[in-house]
């Protein structure tokens, strides 16, 4: 019998966001083909899905030609190193997955007549001069700085996605994902939430970079996945911000983590990394209006759940 299930290919499906999205997509009744080369993804994130007959894992580097037999209804391109530490370690892979990987996945969407979604990032705004950042802000990016490999790869990825939409009429979507946190983040991922939780649970000093006055907004993974799913089903072709609009300084996040973990840890100040954005906050009016979406989980609740998960991992 031919399956009536819609078939989705998701690249980066073994990563933090990708694996949570795989969970949702399988629950919603899709057949999911998860592709990952596991340089920053992890099989532990998807192990529970491997016994599901509607879930398939393929280890493949999407910067190489993607050969898939049969129908594909959606191609979701989520593969990329995404933490500053990871893309500093893998700058060339980051550039290649954003450029060649996006080209290959778009080519696949074209031949399969599939819908396409690109996971882009708030990093396309660089160190923003407009605050909060609406989608029509063009950004302030240092192309040759240490973050350039990620920022410019994603900017290229957005440009080629729009070109395929305009020229080949591919049904595309672009999501600009702001800081997201939750279960399955890697301990050594280098991002601020896992760093602070790990340091707190180990009673180590919390490393605040710079004076800690830089700001970020933290969206819990379940909220993000809800937004991703709504966008996937929509026909919005212009880029769309998804993230929490609640802004915190990094120092506030450090104190909140100390408070929630009851740690004896103190704060130590370390140099601010090059080109670290001073402020970041999404303008989510468009997502509110078009997707009727806004984040529900408060930072305190989401952090609590994440801390619990880290504890369950034996940290
Ligand atoms: N940061 C920090 N201490 C850490 C890790 C990160 O103070 O141990 C800061 C970092 O300088 C940045 C913010 O936290 O200003 C968020 O960093 P993250 O790596 O999570 O992602 P970014 O938003 O910079 O991409």
């Amino acid at each position: 019998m031919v399956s009536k299930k819609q078939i989705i290919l998701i690249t980066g499906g073994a990563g933090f966001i990708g694996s949570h999205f795989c969970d949702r997509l399988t629950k919603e009744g899709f057949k999911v083909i998860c592709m990952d080369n596991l340089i920053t993804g992890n099989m532990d994130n998807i192990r529970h899905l491997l016994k599901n007959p509607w879930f398939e894992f393929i280890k493949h580097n999407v910067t190489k030609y993607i050969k898939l037999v049969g129908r594909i209804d959606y191609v979701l391109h989520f593969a990329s190193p995404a933490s500053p530490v990871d893309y500093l370690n893998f700058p060339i892979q980051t550039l290649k997955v954003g450029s060649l990987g996006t080209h290959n996945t778009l080519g696949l969407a074209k031949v399969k007549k599939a819908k396409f979604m690109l996971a882009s990032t708030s990093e396309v705004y660089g160190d923003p001069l407009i605050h909060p950042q609406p989608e029509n802000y063009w950004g302030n990016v240092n192309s040759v700085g240490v973050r350039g490999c990620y920022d410019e790869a994603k900017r290229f990825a957005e440009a080629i996605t729009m070109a395929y939409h305009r020229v080949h009429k591919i049904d595309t979507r672009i999501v600009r994902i702001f800081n997201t946190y939750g279960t399955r983040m890697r301990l050594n991922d280098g991002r601020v939430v896992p760093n602070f939780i790990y340091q707190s649970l180990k009673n180590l000093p919390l490393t605040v970079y710079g004076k800690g006055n830089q700001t970020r907004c933290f969206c819990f993974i379940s909220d993000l996945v809800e937004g991703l799913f709504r966008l996937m089903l929509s026909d919005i072709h212009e880029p769309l911000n998804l993230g929490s609009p609640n802004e915190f300084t990094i120092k506030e996040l450090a104190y909140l983590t100390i408070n929630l973990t009851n740690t004896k840890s103190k704060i130590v100040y370390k140099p601010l990394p090059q080109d670290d954005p001073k402020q970041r906050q999404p303008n989510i009016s468009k997502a509110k209006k078009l997707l009727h979406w806004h984040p529900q989980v408060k930072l305190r609740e989401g952090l609590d759940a994440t801390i619990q998960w880290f504890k369950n991992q034996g940290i």
Side-chain angles (χ1 to χ4, degrees):
M1 201 178 82
V2 179
S3 155
K4 291 212 184 67
K5 277 184 180 267
Q6 296 236 295
I7 303 173
I8 295 184
L9 169 74
I10 176 165
T11 74
F16 160 53
I17 293 177
S19 67
H20 281 282
F21 204 12
C22 284
D23 283 344
R24 176 66 183 266
L25 296 169
T26 47
K27 270 197 201 105
E28 295 285 345
F30 291 90
K31 173 177 176 184
V32 176
I33 303 169
C34 164
M35 193 170 267
D36 205 301
N37 69 349
L38 302 174
I39 67 165
T40 57
N42 188 337
M43 286 307 285
D44 289 343
N45 292 340
I46 52 166
R47 210 171 296 286
H48 59 288
L49 290 170
L50 294 175
K51 53 186 180 301
N52 182 332
W54 300 108
F55 180 84
E56 186 186 347
F57 174 72
I58 300 174
K59 184 163 186 254
H60 180 68
N61 180 343
V62 295
T63 65
K64 305 271 191 308
Y65 185 81
I66 305 166
K67 198 169 155 206
L68 279 180
V69 181
R71 201 184 86 222
I72 302 279
D73 300 292
Y74 286 89
V75 175
L76 314 179
H77 184 35
F78 277 63
S80 179
S83 102
V85 169
D86 286 340
Y87 51 76
L88 289 186
N89 285 334
F90 302 111
I92 295 170
Q93 290 92 331
T94 303
L95 280 156
K96 283 172 77 176
V97 75
S99 54
L100 307 179
T102 309
H103 187 210
N104 284 339
T105 48
L106 280 164
L108 183 73
K110 181 170 161 242
V111 74
K112 301 286 185 187
K113 299 188 172 36
K115 296 174 196 240
F116 183 87
M117 179 151 127
L118 171 72
S120 185
T121 168
S122 54
E123 280 286 322
V124 298
Y125 301 120
D127 191 1
L129 305 176
I130 288 188
H131 192 72
Q133 295 80 54
E135 287 87 349
N136 61 6
Y137 174 49
W138 292 353
N140 176 40
V141 170
N142 175 6
S143 60
V144 294
V146 287
R147 286 178 176 247
C149 59
Y150 186 56
D151 304 10
E152 295 297 358
K154 290 294 191 183
R155 289 167 70 95
F156 172 87
E158 290 194 1
I160 193 171
T161 299
M162 289 311 291
Y164 266 67
H165 172 64
R166 292 187 185 113
V167 176
H168 295 307
K169 313 289 176 224
I170 310 284
D171 189 352
T172 58
R173 296 128 193 81
I174 298 174
V175 53
R176 292 185 179 150
I177 302 172
F178 283 66
N179 294 66
T180 302
Y181 70 100
T183 61
R184 301 186 191 155
M185 291 187 96
R186 286 192 348 262
L187 256 191
N188 58 349
D189 147 317
R191 279 183 278 202
V192 67
V193 170
N195 268 11
F196 284 177
I197 295 179
Y198 176 79
Q199 290 159 348
S200 298
L201 295 180
K202 291 280 185 200
N203 290 313
L204 297 167
L206 272 68
T207 52
V208 170
Y209 301 157
K211 294 198 171 84
N213 294 333
Q214 68 274 35
T215 67
R216 295 293 186 275
C217 300
F218 300 96
C219 184
F220 192 58
I221 185 67
S222 58
D223 280 329
L224 182 82
V225 166
E226 181 61 37
L228 293 176
F229 188 63
R230 290 185 193 201
L231 178 61
M232 185 188 104
L233 297 182
S234 79
D235 56 3
I236 302 167
H237 304 302
E238 300 295 319
L240 191 88
N241 289 339
L242 288 182
S244 163
N246 300 324
E247 192 177 7
F248 294 85
T249 66
I250 294 304
K251 212 161 42 183
E252 283 171 333
L253 179 75
Y255 283 119
L256 183 58
T257 313
I258 287 174
N259 186 270
L260 292 175
T261 50
N262 276 322
T263 180
K264 297 186 185 68
S265 298
K266 300 271 180 283
I267 288 175
V268 286
Y269 291 90
K270 300 271 181 187
L272 191 66
Q274 189 200 353
D275 297 335
D276 196 285
K278 287 181 268 313
Q279 52 182 2
R280 183 185 287 155
Q281 182 189 23
N283 177 329
I284 58 163
S285 316
K286 222 170 137 181
K288 277 186 177 160
K289 185 163 166 239
L290 300 177
L291 300 179
H292 308 290
W293 174 88
H294 66 95
Q296 314 273 342
V297 180
K298 294 203 169 64
L299 182 58
R300 181 177 277 273
E301 292 163 32
L303 272 183
D304 252 339
T306 312
I307 291 165
Q308 197 48 54
W309 184 82
F310 273 89
K311 282 185 180 165
N312 294 345
Q313 303 303 300
I315 309 309

